[in-house]
DNA sequence: TAAGCGTGGCA
DNA sequence: TTGCCAAGCTT
């Protein structure tokens, strides 16, 4: 690409004022993190890249407190990717317990298998290689590169989006979906040095999790209250479109969850009748959900053998 | 791009 | 109680 020496700035470039605000955040953030960070096992120096990867997948849409016991058991049982790959999907879905989104367990097994077969059994450190693994998207690849390998990576999760929306952009909440402008801002704000960038990423995430929360942010305890653009603007309400909550009662998701729970809790195969009953749904919906679970690989079997988790 | 995909806790 | 939210990914 030709060097750009003049002309208009790129359309999505963050404005200078935002970058100046960002520059004032790193030091107080790092100081706050040193005093208030939670002691989580996947942050320990002796935690393997595999342990970090497992934690990041489990933490996708699932709170820390629920992940902690499952992660601990998981890592004792399958301390390397090869251990999980050899165990297979059924054991993984069972050990996944009630973390939710059990397809994550299947993808973790697939990722472990790819690591065993194509990466010499070692979690790759390259962000692109990570991104190509099943269940590893933009966020998780960056997080593993940063937190397991100490690399400078643009980590953007829901916490970082919210902290930067408030402290830098002066908005109550980020847009409903991740935008190119947010990615550009996070990229521009990221400190240049590897160690500094890792500290920036982890401390921003932690602040979002503990202080700059979605509801009732604890601005009185926030190290960024002084430079915060949102506080400076008077902490205005969110002016975006109303957020659409996920429907739950009566959804396929609920019925699927009940079926997988029944399969997980069963000692042996369940009959079709037992599966349909466990779903709590109408027959038509239950049939649809069972078919979906079979397609997804979260269930196995037929009317003759009965139904189980995958083997 | 938007919708589908679990589960539990909290206000 | 009901809705919102939680270290997203996939199609």
């Amino acid at each position: 690409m030709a060097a750009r020496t003049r002309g208009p700035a790129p359309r999505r470039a963050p404005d200078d004022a935002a970058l100046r605000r960002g520059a004032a955040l790193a030091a107080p953030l790092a100081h706050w993190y040193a005093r208030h960070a939670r002691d989580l096992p996947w942050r320990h120096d002796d935690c393997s890249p595999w342990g970090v990867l497992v934690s990041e997948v489990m933490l996708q849409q699932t709170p820390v407190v629920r992940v902690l016991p499952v992660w601990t058991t998981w890592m004792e049982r399958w301390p390397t990717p090869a251990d999980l790959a050899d165990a297979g999907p059924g054991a993984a879905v069972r050990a996944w317990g009630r973390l939710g989104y059990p397809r994550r367990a299947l993808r973790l097994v697939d990722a472990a298998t790819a690591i065993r077969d194509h990466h010499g059994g070692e979690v790759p450190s390259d962000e692109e290689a990570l991104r190509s693994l099943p269940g590893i998207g933009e966020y998780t690849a960056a997080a593993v590169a940063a937190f397991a390998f100490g690399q400078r990576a643009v980590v953007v999760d829901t916490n970082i989006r919210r902290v930067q929306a408030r402290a830098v952009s002066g908005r109550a909440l980020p847009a409903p979906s991740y935008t190119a402008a947010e990615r550009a801002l996070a990229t521009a704000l990221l400190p240049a040095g590897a160690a500094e960038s890792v500290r920036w990423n982890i401390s921003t995430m932690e602040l979002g999790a503990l202080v700059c929360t979605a509801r009732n942010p604890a601005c009185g305890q926030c190290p960024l209250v002084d430079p915060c653009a949102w506080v400076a603007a008077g902490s205005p309400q969110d002016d975006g479109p109303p957020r659409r909550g996920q429907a739950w009662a009566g959804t396929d998701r609920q019925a699927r969850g009940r079926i997988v729970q029944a399969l997980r809790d069963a000692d042996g195969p369940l009959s079709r009748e037992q599966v349909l009953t466990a779903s709590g749904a109408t027959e038509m919906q239950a049939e649809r959900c069972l078919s979906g679970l079979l397609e997804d690989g979260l269930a196995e079997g037929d009317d003759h053998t009965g139904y189980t988790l995958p083997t």
Side-chain angles (χ1 to χ4, degrees):
Chain A
M1 177 161 105
R4 168 194 287 279
T5 55
R6 63 184 64 195
R11 234 183 323 149
R12 299 189 187 287
D15 61 88
D16 292 342
L19 295 182
R20 278 197 300 277
R21 283 194 291 275
L25 307 182
L29 259 179
H31 184 251
W32 173 86
Y33 184 80
R35 296 186 44 181
H36 296 285
R38 292 166 292 182
D39 177 28
L40 302 173
W42 45 84
R43 289 178 179 166
H44 293 182
D45 287 340
D46 63 353
C47 182
S48 66
W50 170 239
V52 173
L53 191 158
V54 170
S55 78
E56 291 298 343
V57 172
M58 288 184 174
L59 287 163
Q60 293 168 359
Q61 303 284 280
T62 304
V64 165
V65 289
R66 285 170 50 205
V67 165
L68 269 171
V70 180
W71 181 89
T72 301
T73 304
W74 191 282
M75 293 307 297
E76 286 169 359
R77 189 169 176 187
W78 301 305
T80 72
D83 293 322
L84 180 64
D86 295 344
V93 172
R94 235 179 223 100
W96 196 255
R98 302 185 64 82
L99 288 183
Y101 295 140
R103 290 193 289 196
R104 289 184 290 167
L106 297 181
R107 292 183 181 135
L108 197 46
V109 172
D110 292 339
T113 304
I115 292 168
R116 181 193 65 188
D117 295 344
H118 304 305
H119 296 280
E122 301 291 333
V123 174
S125 60
D126 176 66
E127 210 172 326
E128 277 308 304
L130 286 162
R131 182 70 178 76
S132 73
L133 296 171
I136 309 297
E138 179 177 340
Y139 161 75
T140 305
V144 172
F147 305 141
F149 296 106
Q151 294 176 26
R152 183 176 184 275
V154 181
V155 177
V156 185
D157 77 324
T158 187
N159 291 303
I160 290 180
R161 292 183 65 211
R162 188 174 54 252
V163 170
Q164 294 184 353
R166 287 180 180 153
V168 181
S169 303
R171 305 178 57 82
L173 291 172
S177 56
Y178 184 40
T179 65
E182 290 178 88
R183 184 184 291 104
L185 177 61
T187 302
L189 292 172
L190 192 67
E196 292 75 13
S197 73
V198 170
R199 188 157 49 240
W200 168 266
N201 284 326
I202 194 67
S203 59
T204 306
M205 287 177 67
E206 191 75 342
L207 188 77
L210 298 183
V211 174
C212 191
T213 53
R215 288 174 296 192
N216 304 115
C219 299
Q221 306 170 34
C222 183
L224 307 183
V225 66
D226 188 50
C228 181
W230 183 56
V231 169
S235 305
Q237 291 277 308
D238 178 42
D239 62 353
R243 304 172 108 67
R244 292 240 170 282
Q246 304 171 344
W248 177 245
T251 60
D252 284 10
R253 228 189 282 202
Q254 182 185 39
R256 286 169 54 106
R258 285 172 171 160
I259 292 173
V260 172
Q261 183 183 352
L263 295 175
R264 206 168 41 222
D265 293 345
D267 289 328
L270 295 181
S271 70
R272 178 180 205 83
E273 186 66 26
Q274 288 175 305
V275 168
L276 299 186
T277 300
S279 75
T282 65
E283 183 164 348
M284 179 180 303
Q285 184 181 25
E287 299 275 6
R288 180 174 67 239
C289 290
L290 176 56
S291 299
L293 291 170
L294 292 167
E295 278 184 37
D296 291 345
L298 280 167
E300 249 179 32
D302 55 42
D303 287 353
H304 269 306
T305 64
Y307 296 91
T308 64
L309 291 180
T311 52

